[in-house]
Amino acid sequence: ITGFAELTDGIILIATLNSGMFAYNSVTGKGTSVNGLESGMYTALMIKGNAMLLGSQEGLSLYSIDNAGEKAALKMKVAELEFIRIQDIQAALERNTYWIATEDQGIFRLTLNGEQYSIVKTGLKFNLGKENVQAVYEAPNHQLWVSTLRNGVYRLSQPDGKGDFGRATSFNK
């Protein structure tokens, strides 16, 4: 199991590395496969309303999903992340914006606008562009916390409107 997300009250989505995705109804205690997903090894999951960002070994896709979690429909793939393993997806404080952690390609800031998007690779001046980022979290003060596989944890100062950061503090010992 690689991720959990609450779709609606009582419906929990469960992403797996080898067995697809399931919707578990906590009221009835029954689970069902989510239909309409491309096959893949799912690595990260984020739900907002009926929009689902799904990360895999092959990149990042946006799906719509019904309230019961039974049927999903592909809306778009993020071309810039094709063939890049997605490690984590976290909501940013800015509306319709998400932080995407990747294996060996660092961090991206994704902003959705309907079925269009903008994406910016961030942390480049701190040499995070080729990092294997395991997890990312934006704190209420807009600082971005980044966990890497080999080089510890970074705390990036509050970003400007383009997702650029002024300072980075490294915690690696």
Side-chain angles (χ1 to χ4, degrees):
I1 293 178
T2 56
F4 296 98
E6 184 175 31
L7 178 60
T8 58
D9 287 340
I11 305 294
I12 306 297
L13 294 178
I14 304 167
T16 73
L17 197 56
N18 296 313
S19 300
M21 183 179 296
F22 300 91
Y24 175 75
N25 185 320
S26 62
V27 175
T28 65
K30 295 184 179 185
T32 181
S33 292
V34 177
N35 295 311
L37 299 175
E38 292 187 328
S39 63
M41 300 174 78
Y42 307 132
T43 56
L45 171 67
M46 170 61 67
I47 296 287
K48 184 174 181 186
N50 289 95
M52 176 175 65
L53 284 168
L54 184 60
S56 72
Q57 301 263 25
E58 301 297 321
L60 183 66
S61 300
L62 174 66
Y63 287 87
S64 63
I65 188 163
D66 69 348
N67 285 335
E70 296 173 356
K71 179 85 173 123
L74 180 65
K75 293 297 181 191
M76 70 176 157
K77 292 184 178 190
V78 177
E80 294 84 349
L81 298 177
E82 191 172 18
F83 304 116
I84 297 173
R85 180 185 166 115
I86 307 302
Q87 303 280 71
D88 191 20
I89 306 166
Q90 293 295 324
L93 296 177
E94 185 178 326
R95 190 171 190 261
N96 296 324
T97 301
Y98 302 88
W99 295 107
I100 312 298
T102 69
E103 180 179 84
D104 300 328
Q105 290 297 317
I107 313 155
F108 292 82
R109 182 177 182 262
L110 174 72
T111 302
L112 298 175
N113 184 9
E115 292 192 22
Q116 297 183 351
Y117 66 88
S118 63
I119 189 164
V120 177
K121 192 169 190 175
T122 63
L124 294 175
K125 72 179 176 180
F126 307 113
N127 297 318
L128 296 176
K130 298 289 183 189
E131 281 288 347
N132 186 330
V133 178
Q134 300 294 296
V136 62
Y137 166 72
E138 186 176 1
N141 63 1
H142 296 277
Q143 292 180 336
L144 192 66
W145 289 85
V146 179
S147 166
T148 69
L149 182 64
R150 295 176 286 279
N151 293 311
V153 173
Y154 292 84
R155 182 184 64 209
L156 306 181
S157 64
Q158 183 174 355
D160 63 18
K162 297 176 185 172
D164 293 327
F165 297 89
R167 291 185 324 259
T169 305
S170 174
F171 304 92
N172 60 9
K173 298 281 179 192

